[in-house]
Amino acid sequence: MTQRSAQVRLIQARLEEKRRQVLEDLHQEMDSGLAHHERETSDPCDAASTCTEDTVIAEAVDIESRSLQKIETALDKIRRRVYGLCEECGKRIKFSRLKALPFTPCCLVCQSRLEREGGGEAEEGAEVWESVQEPEG
């Protein structure tokens, strides 16, 4: 097994654990929302509070769902043996970047270019990459 293969296996295990956690969180949030709706209220203030709580729960579910989709995409790339290749330039993404952002689709150079051009979404945690340097290899 090559060093890169071992590194990908390590990331795969982290992604699978993160997927398990996200699924668990989604189930809890959805159960919380269902339990919340079982309470009936005739008080307008309680109804407004319920509406606000519903919005917060819906947003949390949306965020978790997007995270789950990114995780599933990364795991699919691992299965297809294309994980760690930049979707923009096709070059290998550095392991230090993959370790920090395991579902990143682009290398740092392409992600920075996309963000400057306004065509890419800023990545969570991306601000730390300005100072990270790893030798090629």
Side-chain angles (χ1 to χ4, degrees), residues 34-85:
L34 289 173
H36 192 251
H37 278 285
E38 290 176 357
R39 295 182 305 201
E40 290 187 31
T41 182
S42 59
D43 180 29
C45 291
D46 286 345
S49 177
T50 297
C51 184
T52 301
E53 290 173 16
D54 287 349
T55 302
V56 170
I57 291 169
E59 182 65 26
V61 167
D62 184 56
I63 290 168
E64 295 293 341
S65 296
R66 282 185 273 146
S67 292
L68 184 60
Q69 181 58 48
K70 289 177 182 180
I71 292 166
E72 293 295 349
T73 298
L75 289 170
D76 181 59
K77 286 180 179 184
I78 290 171
R79 285 188 288 277
R80 293 185 295 120
R81 299 180 186 265
V82 295
Y83 179 77
L85 299 178

Side-chain angles (χ1 to χ4, degrees), residues 88-129:
E88 292 292 313
C89 69
K91 293 180 181 176
R92 275 190 174 179
I93 299 170
K94 293 179 181 180
F95 177 68
S96 59
R97 179 166 170 77
L98 291 171
K99 189 174 175 186
L101 299 167
F103 35 77
T104 186
C106 300
C107 68
L108 179 59
V109 172
C110 290
Q111 183 66 40
S112 296
R113 179 181 48 77
L114 288 171
E115 289 175 14
R116 277 192 313 274
E117 294 172 355
E121 183 178 307
E123 292 180 311
E124 183 178 317
E127 63 278 354
V128 299
W129 288 104

